[in-house]
Short mmCIF file of all heavy atoms in Angstrom, two decimals:
data_model
loop_
_atom_site.label_atom_id
_atom_site.label_comp_id
_atom_site.label_asym_id
_atom_site.label_seq_id
_atom_site.Cartn_x
_atom_site.Cartn_y
_atom_site.Cartn_z
N ASP A 180 96.55 108.29 126.38
CA ASP A 180 97.51 107.98 127.43
C ASP A 180 97.33 106.51 127.83
O ASP A 180 96.28 106.13 128.34
CB ASP A 180 97.27 108.88 128.64
CG ASP A 180 98.32 108.71 129.73
OD1 ASP A 180 99.08 107.72 129.67
OD2 ASP A 180 98.35 109.56 130.64
N PRO A 181 98.33 105.66 127.58
CA PRO A 181 98.15 104.23 127.87
C PRO A 181 98.32 103.85 129.34
O PRO A 181 98.16 102.67 129.68
CB PRO A 181 99.25 103.59 127.02
CG PRO A 181 100.33 104.60 126.98
CD PRO A 181 99.62 105.94 126.93
N ARG A 182 98.63 104.82 130.19
CA ARG A 182 98.78 104.48 131.60
C ARG A 182 97.44 104.07 132.20
O ARG A 182 96.40 104.59 131.84
CB ARG A 182 99.37 105.67 132.37
CG ARG A 182 100.81 105.98 132.00
CD ARG A 182 101.29 107.23 132.72
NE ARG A 182 100.53 108.41 132.28
CZ ARG A 182 100.72 109.62 132.78
NH1 ARG A 182 101.62 109.83 133.74
NH2 ARG A 182 100.01 110.64 132.32
N ALA A 183 97.47 103.15 133.15
CA ALA A 183 96.25 102.68 133.80
C ALA A 183 95.55 103.84 134.48
O ALA A 183 96.19 104.62 135.21
CB ALA A 183 96.59 101.59 134.82
N PRO A 184 94.24 104.00 134.27
CA PRO A 184 93.52 105.12 134.87
C PRO A 184 93.40 104.98 136.39
O PRO A 184 92.97 103.94 136.90
CB PRO A 184 92.13 105.04 134.22
CG PRO A 184 92.30 104.19 133.03
CD PRO A 184 93.39 103.22 133.37
N TYR A 185 93.82 106.02 137.07
CA TYR A 185 93.65 106.08 138.52
C TYR A 185 92.70 107.22 138.84
O TYR A 185 92.71 108.26 138.18
CB TYR A 185 94.99 106.30 139.22
CG TYR A 185 95.87 105.08 139.22
CD1 TYR A 185 96.73 104.83 138.15
CD2 TYR A 185 95.81 104.16 140.26
CE1 TYR A 185 97.52 103.68 138.12
CE2 TYR A 185 96.60 103.02 140.24
CZ TYR A 185 97.45 102.79 139.18
OH TYR A 185 98.22 101.66 139.15
N LEU A 186 91.88 107.01 139.87
CA LEU A 186 90.90 108.00 140.27
C LEU A 186 91.20 108.40 141.71
O LEU A 186 90.73 107.77 142.66
CB LEU A 186 89.49 107.43 140.15
CG LEU A 186 89.13 106.91 138.75
CD1 LEU A 186 87.74 106.29 138.76
CD2 LEU A 186 89.20 108.02 137.71
N PRO A 187 92.01 109.44 141.90
CA PRO A 187 92.45 109.80 143.25
C PRO A 187 91.34 110.44 144.08
O PRO A 187 90.33 110.89 143.56
CB PRO A 187 93.57 110.80 142.98
CG PRO A 187 93.22 111.42 141.67
CD PRO A 187 92.57 110.32 140.87
N GLY A 188 91.58 110.45 145.38
CA GLY A 188 90.68 111.17 146.29
C GLY A 188 89.26 110.69 146.17
O GLY A 188 88.96 109.53 146.30
N GLU A 189 88.37 111.63 145.90
CA GLU A 189 86.95 111.33 145.84
C GLU A 189 86.46 111.16 144.41
O GLU A 189 85.29 111.39 144.11
CB GLU A 189 86.15 112.44 146.55
CG GLU A 189 86.39 112.49 148.04
CD GLU A 189 86.00 111.18 148.72
OE1 GLU A 189 84.93 110.63 148.40
OE2 GLU A 189 86.78 110.71 149.57
N VAL A 190 87.32 110.79 143.50
CA VAL A 190 86.96 110.54 142.10
C VAL A 190 86.33 111.77 141.48
O VAL A 190 85.26 111.73 140.90
CB VAL A 190 86.01 109.32 141.97
CG1 VAL A 190 86.02 108.80 140.54
CG2 VAL A 190 86.37 108.22 142.91
N LYS A 191 86.97 112.90 141.64
CA LYS A 191 86.43 114.15 141.12
C LYS A 191 86.99 114.45 139.74
O LYS A 191 88.16 114.24 139.48
CB LYS A 191 86.74 115.32 142.08
CG LYS A 191 86.01 115.21 143.42
CD LYS A 191 86.28 116.44 144.27
CE LYS A 191 85.58 116.32 145.62
NZ LYS A 191 84.11 116.26 145.49
N PHE A 192 86.11 114.94 138.86
CA PHE A 192 86.51 115.28 137.50
C PHE A 192 86.43 116.78 137.24
O PHE A 192 86.78 117.23 136.17
CB PHE A 192 85.63 114.55 136.48
CG PHE A 192 85.88 113.08 136.42
CD1 PHE A 192 85.09 112.20 137.14
CD2 PHE A 192 86.89 112.56 135.64
CE1 PHE A 192 85.31 110.83 137.08
CE2 PHE A 192 87.13 111.19 135.57
CZ PHE A 192 86.33 110.33 136.30
N GLU A 193 85.93 117.53 138.22
CA GLU A 193 85.78 118.97 137.99
C GLU A 193 87.12 119.60 137.66
O GLU A 193 88.15 119.26 138.25
CB GLU A 193 85.20 119.68 139.22
CG GLU A 193 83.85 119.19 139.65
CD GLU A 193 83.96 118.21 140.81
OE1 GLU A 193 84.92 117.43 140.83
OE2 GLU A 193 83.09 118.25 141.68
N GLY A 194 87.09 120.51 136.72
CA GLY A 194 88.30 121.26 136.39
C GLY A 194 89.26 120.54 135.49
O GLY A 194 90.33 121.05 135.18
N VAL A 195 88.91 119.32 135.06
CA VAL A 195 89.79 118.58 134.15
C VAL A 195 89.38 118.93 132.72
O VAL A 195 88.31 118.54 132.27
CB VAL A 195 89.66 117.06 134.37
CG1 VAL A 195 90.55 116.31 133.39
CG2 VAL A 195 90.01 116.70 135.81
N PRO A 196 90.21 119.72 132.03
CA PRO A 196 89.81 120.15 130.69
C PRO A 196 89.87 118.99 129.70
O PRO A 196 90.77 118.14 129.78
CB PRO A 196 90.84 121.22 130.32
CG PRO A 196 92.05 120.84 131.12
CD PRO A 196 91.53 120.24 132.40
N PRO A 197 88.89 118.88 128.81
CA PRO A 197 88.95 117.81 127.82
C PRO A 197 90.07 118.07 126.82
O PRO A 197 90.40 119.22 126.53
CB PRO A 197 87.59 117.89 127.14
CG PRO A 197 87.17 119.32 127.29
CD PRO A 197 87.72 119.75 128.62
N PRO A 198 90.68 117.03 126.28
CA PRO A 198 91.68 117.22 125.24
C PRO A 198 90.99 117.68 123.96
O PRO A 198 89.76 117.64 123.86
CB PRO A 198 92.28 115.83 125.08
CG PRO A 198 91.17 114.91 125.47
CD PRO A 198 90.42 115.62 126.57
N PRO A 199 91.76 118.11 122.97
CA PRO A 199 91.14 118.43 121.68
C PRO A 199 90.39 117.21 121.14
O PRO A 199 90.80 116.07 121.36
CB PRO A 199 92.34 118.78 120.79
CG PRO A 199 93.44 119.13 121.74
CD PRO A 199 93.22 118.31 122.97
N LEU A 200 89.31 117.46 120.46
CA LEU A 200 88.52 116.37 119.90
C LEU A 200 89.38 115.56 118.93
O LEU A 200 90.03 116.11 118.04
CB LEU A 200 87.30 116.94 119.16
CG LEU A 200 86.26 115.93 118.68
CD1 LEU A 200 85.59 115.23 119.86
CD2 LEU A 200 85.21 116.62 117.82
N ALA A 201 89.43 114.25 119.15
CA ALA A 201 90.22 113.38 118.28
C ALA A 201 89.77 113.53 116.83
O ALA A 201 88.57 113.72 116.57
CB ALA A 201 90.07 111.94 118.72
N PRO A 202 90.68 113.47 115.88
CA PRO A 202 90.33 113.70 114.48
C PRO A 202 89.34 112.69 113.92
O PRO A 202 88.68 112.96 112.91
CB PRO A 202 91.68 113.63 113.75
CG PRO A 202 92.60 112.91 114.66
CD PRO A 202 92.14 113.25 116.04
N TRP A 203 89.22 111.54 114.56
CA TRP A 203 88.29 110.52 114.07
C TRP A 203 86.89 110.67 114.65
O TRP A 203 85.97 109.91 114.31
CB TRP A 203 88.83 109.12 114.35
CG TRP A 203 89.27 108.88 115.77
CD1 TRP A 203 90.52 109.07 116.29
CD2 TRP A 203 88.47 108.39 116.84
NE1 TRP A 203 90.55 108.73 117.62
CE2 TRP A 203 89.31 108.31 117.98
CE3 TRP A 203 87.14 108.00 116.97
CZ2 TRP A 203 88.85 107.87 119.22
CZ3 TRP A 203 86.67 107.56 118.20
CH2 TRP A 203 87.53 107.49 119.30
N LEU A 204 86.71 111.66 115.54
CA LEU A 204 85.40 111.94 116.12
C LEU A 204 84.81 113.19 115.50
O LEU A 204 85.53 114.08 115.04
CB LEU A 204 85.53 112.16 117.63
CG LEU A 204 85.73 110.92 118.50
CD1 LEU A 204 86.16 111.35 119.91
CD2 LEU A 204 84.45 110.09 118.56
N THR A 205 83.49 113.28 115.52
CA THR A 205 82.79 114.48 115.08
C THR A 205 81.94 115.00 116.23
O THR A 205 81.60 114.25 117.16
CB THR A 205 81.86 114.19 113.88
OG1 THR A 205 80.76 113.37 114.33
CG2 THR A 205 82.61 113.48 112.75
N PRO A 206 81.56 116.27 116.20
CA PRO A 206 80.62 116.77 117.21
C PRO A 206 79.33 115.97 117.25
O PRO A 206 78.73 115.79 118.32
CB PRO A 206 80.38 118.22 116.78
CG PRO A 206 81.62 118.59 116.01
CD PRO A 206 82.03 117.34 115.30
N GLN A 207 78.91 115.44 116.11
CA GLN A 207 77.69 114.64 116.07
C GLN A 207 77.86 113.33 116.84
O GLN A 207 76.92 112.86 117.50
CB GLN A 207 77.30 114.35 114.61
CG GLN A 207 76.81 115.56 113.83
CD GLN A 207 77.94 116.50 113.42
OE1 GLN A 207 79.11 116.08 113.30
NE2 GLN A 207 77.62 117.77 113.20
N ASP A 208 79.07 112.75 116.75
CA ASP A 208 79.34 111.53 117.52
C ASP A 208 79.22 111.80 119.02
O ASP A 208 78.57 111.05 119.75
CB ASP A 208 80.75 111.01 117.22
CG ASP A 208 80.94 110.57 115.78
OD1 ASP A 208 79.95 110.21 115.13
OD2 ASP A 208 82.10 110.62 115.31
N ILE A 209 79.86 112.87 119.47
CA ILE A 209 79.81 113.23 120.89
C ILE A 209 78.37 113.48 121.33
O ILE A 209 77.94 113.05 122.40
CB ILE A 209 80.69 114.46 121.16
CG1 ILE A 209 82.16 114.16 120.86
CG2 ILE A 209 80.51 114.95 122.60
CD1 ILE A 209 82.77 113.08 121.71
N GLU A 210 77.62 114.15 120.49
CA GLU A 210 76.23 114.47 120.82
C GLU A 210 75.40 113.20 120.96
O GLU A 210 74.55 113.09 121.84
CB GLU A 210 75.64 115.38 119.74
CG GLU A 210 74.31 116.02 120.13
CD GLU A 210 74.43 116.96 121.32
OE1 GLU A 210 75.53 117.54 121.53
OE2 GLU A 210 73.44 117.11 122.06
N PHE A 211 75.66 112.22 120.08
CA PHE A 211 74.88 110.98 120.16
C PHE A 211 75.12 110.28 121.50
O PHE A 211 74.17 109.89 122.19
CB PHE A 211 75.26 110.05 119.00
CG PHE A 211 74.36 108.85 118.88
CD1 PHE A 211 73.26 108.88 118.05
CD2 PHE A 211 74.61 107.69 119.61
CE1 PHE A 211 72.41 107.78 117.95
CE2 PHE A 211 73.77 106.59 119.51
CZ PHE A 211 72.67 106.64 118.68
N TYR A 212 76.40 110.11 121.86
CA TYR A 212 76.70 109.48 123.15
C TYR A 212 76.13 110.28 124.31
O TYR A 212 75.55 109.72 125.24
CB TYR A 212 78.22 109.34 123.32
CG TYR A 212 78.87 108.29 122.46
CD1 TYR A 212 79.79 108.63 121.47
CD2 TYR A 212 78.58 106.94 122.64
CE1 TYR A 212 80.41 107.66 120.69
CE2 TYR A 212 79.19 105.96 121.87
CZ TYR A 212 80.10 106.34 120.88
OH TYR A 212 80.70 105.37 120.12
N ALA A 213 76.30 111.60 124.25
CA ALA A 213 75.85 112.45 125.35
C ALA A 213 74.35 112.35 125.56
O ALA A 213 73.87 112.23 126.70
CB ALA A 213 76.26 113.90 125.09
N GLU A 214 73.61 112.38 124.48
CA GLU A 214 72.15 112.32 124.60
C GLU A 214 71.69 110.98 125.18
O GLU A 214 70.83 110.94 126.07
CB GLU A 214 71.50 112.55 123.23
CG GLU A 214 71.56 114.00 122.76
CD GLU A 214 70.80 114.21 121.46
OE1 GLU A 214 70.17 113.24 120.98
OE2 GLU A 214 70.84 115.34 120.93
#
Side-chain angles (χ1 to χ4, degrees):
D180 185 347
R182 292 175 296 178
Y185 287 87
L186 303 176
E189 293 300 316
V190 199
K191 293 184 181 297
F192 289 96
E193 301 99 324
V195 179
L200 189 65
W203 50 269
L204 284 167
T205 69
Q207 291 75 25
D208 296 335
I209 296 298
E210 193 64 28
F211 189 93
Y212 287 115
E214 286 185 5

